[in-house]
Amino acid sequence: MKGKVAILLSLIILVAGCLGGQSTTPQEKLENLDQIKTIFNLSKSQIDYLTNNGILVIPNGRGAGDIYSLLVKDEVPGIITVDSAFLLYSQVYLISYFWILENDVSPTLRNLLLYLVRESAKAGDIDVASYLAVALLMLDPNVTLPAPLPVSKPNETGILSAITWLTKEGINVSSKEGNLEVVRLAKIIKGCPECLQNISRIDSELTFFLGPSRGLSVLDYVNNLDAIASGRVSPLQLLASKQPLIVRGRSLEKELRVSLFGVRLDPGSYILETLIYPNLGPNPTSKTYSRILAYGDSAGLLSKPISFYRTCDNLDQNRDKYWGEIYEITISLYKRKIISAKDANNIIPLLPNLVYLPAVLGSSYAYTIASSLGYCDFQFQYKRLVNQFREIPPDSMKNRAARAIKLLFEAGRPRSDGWEKRFINTTISFWLIMNGAENFTIVKDTIPSGRLADAYIEPYPEVYAELYASLKELDGFLTAMGVNDETLRWAVNRAAALMLRAYQVSTKIKEGKTLTEDDLIFLTQEFPRDSIAIPHSFGGIRLPKNLVIYSREGMSLRAEVELGTVLVVYNNKIFVGPIIINKAWIEG
């Protein structure tokens, strides 16, 4: 397995196109090779790689603005990479998401929770009031609770912690009394027009950025209050209408929980919280492991005990299985020291990782690696993922990002190992940024001045068009929400304008049309300057930090995204630009 991990690491760490790029070019035909060799101190092996593949990535940690400034200074041709567009989109996504959370969701949610805690306590629903009070204390540690409640101040604070609590935790509806508690809370909300309006507002804001909720929320109760109260509709039926794969073939009535906004995490997290943890018992140890597996089997979580997954024998393909269930269960139990590294080691190698994303989108290189990692029933599960990615609804900014990645892989590109590795790296890096909002570091960069001597943009107009459409939707969403912050509105509008121009200019390049002076100004000055200025208006570029993407034998493969430099051969000339790089390492 260590050899397979080494292959995966080499894929992720060594990153190395674009329609119109050259795969192989004799060195003597490259007009500016000597200049590039001197500036970037290229070795013979790097030059050979560049001329054989038409691309070379240098993971030097240079920011995009620093790269553009260097190109202006030394009169080096620049390239506007699709990575630059992805980076700009992700920054506007994160900036807008955090702005909405801090300036709209947080104060709205605080007032809402204060009211609901008071009314629930007044109605005698202490469990409900306590559940909501935890999130309230996360938002405002100094708030005075309206009634004595068995709640301690939580260790975590802030809007992200509160939202996570309200989407993962919930009110148990396994008994009639529990169900009545949720019904009473729904009645409180329905009888408070302002509460209903605020919950709907927050739900729509979270949905716009993250996608529709996957679990059962109090809002579902409010909308179906009469049917639930009369017994015509059960909570399980409501959940089944939203997530049939969670419910199918499983008995969840006794474990079902209803959260304020619904579960927005993978089904594995839902099952972990609702089925596994409540059955660990006091002071769980590794001896509890077999009991957990047996319980998971009886609950319909697994078609066989987990030991079955070590050999992949007689796999029952008729049951709906999520690899994510086992992965999240295993990692969480290992972190809580409930199971040993040896136990986890027998499970984790059989689970998918980020290399599946480019694999299901058509990368033969990624497919080769994914198929060699020893996952159970690879072909069956691979086809399921392909079907899931066949149609991606444009119902959130996150899904728009996935659609843009898919369009990138559907576009033509040079066929060389270097280009293939680069596209895999770009895909994984962009997806990590989009999903690393909760843990990131801010990187300062230089906003370039002056104008590039020459420039070129990777011709993927479909990708830029998808990102433009999403940013225009974001602008309309902010208008609908009444957001008037001038800096934020400028950032969104300017980013959308840059994506529109990227679409227009890249279309011309793809069709072989002559660029106008305005097109050249966009390539050599406007995009390099403003794509850096936009995130720096909010403090800098946000890059994810310390994300675990693989775990084995007590070690973790972690991912951090950094910025680097890419050299691309086009029309017998070397163009230089920024690229996002997934930096991964094994941490003991």
Side-chain angles (χ1 to χ4, degrees):
M1 188 66 192
K2 289 183 178 178
K4 294 172 183 175
V5 174
I7 293 174
L8 181 58
L9 279 174
S10 67
L11 164 67
I12 296 175
I13 296 175
L14 176 62
V15 288
C18 61
L19 189 66
Q22 295 164 242
S23 296
T24 304
T25 306
Q27 294 185 19
E28 62 273 12
K29 288 190 176 183
L30 292 176
E31 300 175 13
N32 57 341
L33 177 59
D34 290 339
Q35 178 195 31
I36 299 298
K37 177 182 176 181
T38 301
I39 293 174
F40 293 98
N41 193 28
L42 299 182
S43 65
K44 181 180 184 303
S45 61
Q46 286 177 313
I47 294 173
D48 290 342
Y49 190 94
L50 174 62
T51 55
N52 291 331
N53 289 274
I55 188 169
L56 174 69
V57 171
I58 306 175
N60 50 19
R62 276 181 171 160
D66 291 337
I67 296 171
Y68 288 134
S69 297
L70 175 66
L71 303 184
V72 171
K73 173 179 171 290
D74 293 331
E75 298 184 347
V76 176
I79 181 170
I80 308 301
T81 60
V82 71
D83 298 68
S84 301
F86 283 158
L87 183 62
L88 175 59
Y89 178 84
S90 68
Q91 298 308 296
V92 174
Y93 165 80
L94 292 174
I95 288 167
S96 303
Y97 178 49
F98 280 108
W99 194 99
I100 287 291
L101 287 180
E102 294 293 340
N103 295 278
D104 196 294
V105 174
S106 185
T108 302
L109 185 57
R110 181 198 177 279
N111 295 334
L112 170 68
L113 289 174
L114 189 59
Y115 176 85
L116 294 180
V117 168
R118 183 177 68 242
E119 294 301 312
S120 296
K122 189 186 300 183
D125 294 326
I126 303 302
D127 288 344
V128 175
S130 300
Y131 153 64
L132 299 174
V134 172
L136 177 59
L137 289 169
M138 288 177 175
L139 290 173
D140 186 356
N142 299 316
V143 68
T144 301
L145 296 179
L149 297 172
V151 177
S152 302
K153 283 191 176 182
N155 294 326
E156 298 179 348
T157 60
I159 181 61
L160 279 178
S161 298
I163 290 295
T164 300
W165 173 266
L166 291 172
T167 53
K168 289 179 66 175
E169 302 297 328
I171 309 163
N172 194 295
V173 294
S174 62
S175 65
K176 184 177 180 181
E177 290 73 21
N179 192 29
L180 289 176
E181 285 182 340
V182 188
V183 170
R184 285 196 291 267
L185 177 59
K187 287 181 177 179
I188 292 173
I189 294 171
K190 190 170 184 178
C192 170
E194 185 178 355
C195 297
L196 188 57
Q197 181 181 4
N198 288 337
I199 290 180
S200 298
R201 180 184 180 90
I202 294 172
D203 188 69
S204 66
E205 289 171 330
L206 296 177
T207 298
F208 181 84
F209 289 101
L210 306 177
S213 64
R214 294 176 173 177
L216 192 55
S217 71
V218 174
L219 198 59
D220 294 315
Y221 263 68
V222 173
N223 294 332
N224 297 274
L225 188 56
D226 293 337
I228 294 173
S230 64
R232 296 197 309 273
V233 174
S234 71
L236 191 61
Q237 287 174 315
L238 283 180
L239 180 61
S241 67
K242 303 183 72 174
Q243 277 292 342
L245 289 181
I246 295 180
V247 177
R248 187 180 301 167
R250 295 175 180 152
S251 300
L252 297 179
E253 291 91 343
K254 294 182 179 180
E255 294 83 12
L256 191 61
R257 298 174 74 86
V258 176
S259 64
L260 193 60
F261 295 107
V263 179
R264 296 174 186 278
L265 304 174
D266 290 334
S269 295
Y270 173 84
I271 293 166
L272 190 65
E273 296 293 335
T274 59
L275 294 180
I276 300 299
Y277 290 155
N279 290 273
L280 291 179
N283 304 315
T285 66
S286 58
K287 292 181 180 179
T288 320
Y289 190 48
S290 59
R291 191 166 68 82
I292 296 170
L293 303 186
Y295 180 80
D297 187 24
S298 65
L301 253 176
L302 311 170
S303 58
K304 299 287 182 180
I306 287 185
S307 58
F308 165 81
Y309 285 82
R310 300 174 190 171
T311 60
C312 306
D313 294 335
N314 303 316
L315 185 64
D316 179 3
Q317 297 181 1
N318 296 321
R319 280 188 181 269
D320 291 299
K321 284 179 292 295
Y322 282 93
W323 288 343
E325 293 173 1
I326 311 170
Y327 177 85
E328 294 199 29
I329 291 170
T330 306
I331 290 296
S332 183
L333 295 179
Y334 172 68
K335 286 181 177 178
R336 296 189 180 198
K337 299 182 179 180
I338 296 170
I339 63 174
S340 66
K342 182 180 179 181
D343 289 326
N345 175 44
N346 287 324
I347 305 167
I348 297 302
L350 304 182
L351 300 171
N353 50 57
L354 283 173
V355 75
Y356 259 78
L357 181 57
V360 300
L361 293 176
S363 169
S364 57
Y365 191 90
Y367 178 89
T368 299
I369 291 182
S371 62
S372 71
L373 292 177
Y375 298 145
C376 291
D377 197 24
F378 169 77
Q379 285 297 334
F380 172 70
Q381 300 288 8
Y382 172 78
K383 289 177 181 177
R384 284 189 59 192
L385 291 173
V386 170
N387 290 333
Q388 289 176 14
F389 275 87
R390 183 165 286 121
E391 294 295 335
I392 306 173
D395 56 5
S396 67
M397 288 195 74
K398 228 174 221 186
N399 267 2
R400 283 287 196 177
R403 287 164 62 92
I405 290 173
K406 183 182 178 185
L407 288 168
L408 178 63
F409 272 85
E410 290 176 349
R413 58 189 185 276
R415 297 295 178 181
S416 73
D417 286 346
W419 282 104
E420 197 70 13
K421 291 176 182 177
R422 174 272 166 105
F423 271 84
I424 296 170
N425 167 77
T426 294
T427 298
I428 294 175
S429 299
F430 179 40
W431 200 238
L432 281 171
I433 298 177
M434 291 296 297
N435 288 276
E438 295 183 9
N439 191 12
F440 65 87
T441 183
I442 293 182
V443 179
K444 298 287 186 178
D445 203 356
T446 303
I447 299 177
S449 59
R451 184 172 174 178
L452 300 174
D454 192 8
Y456 166 74
I457 184 171
E458 290 192 285
Y460 299 113
E462 301 87 354
V463 173
Y464 307 128
E466 183 71 28
L467 300 179
Y468 165 73
S470 181
L471 291 171
K472 287 301 290 182
E473 287 179 354
L474 173 58
D475 182 54
F477 174 79
L478 295 177
T479 297
M481 292 291 106
V483 177
N484 297 316
D485 185 86
E486 292 183 2
T487 305
L488 178 62
R489 298 305 297 269
W490 168 81
V492 173
N493 276 286
R494 186 57 187 149
L498 291 176
M499 293 300 179
L500 177 60
R501 291 292 288 134
Y503 162 74
Q504 294 168 341
V505 176
S506 64
T507 299
K508 287 185 178 181
I509 290 177
K510 188 174 182 179
E511 295 176 351
K513 295 181 179 178
T514 303
L515 300 184
T516 65
E517 178 61 21
D518 285 344
D519 296 334
L520 294 175
I521 290 175
F522 167 75
L523 294 177
T524 59
Q525 190 170 13
E526 290 182 358
F527 190 95
R529 178 194 65 216
D530 290 353
S531 63
I532 308 302
I534 289 171
H536 277 68
S537 297
F538 296 86
I541 295 175
R542 291 157 171 79
L543 295 179
K545 180 181 181 181
N546 213 25
L547 303 177
V548 177
I549 60 173
Y550 181 87
S551 182
R552 177 176 165 80
E553 296 176 351
M555 297 182 293
S556 296
L557 174 61
R558 298 175 181 270
E560 291 189 18
V561 177
E562 66 176 24
L563 304 176
T565 306
V566 63
L567 280 55
V568 174
V569 176
Y570 173 67
N571 285 349
N572 296 325
K573 188 184 293 186
I574 301 171
F575 287 74
V576 181
I579 191 171
I580 47 178
I581 299 174
N582 175 20
K583 179 181 177 183
W585 68 95
I586 293 290
E587 182 180 272

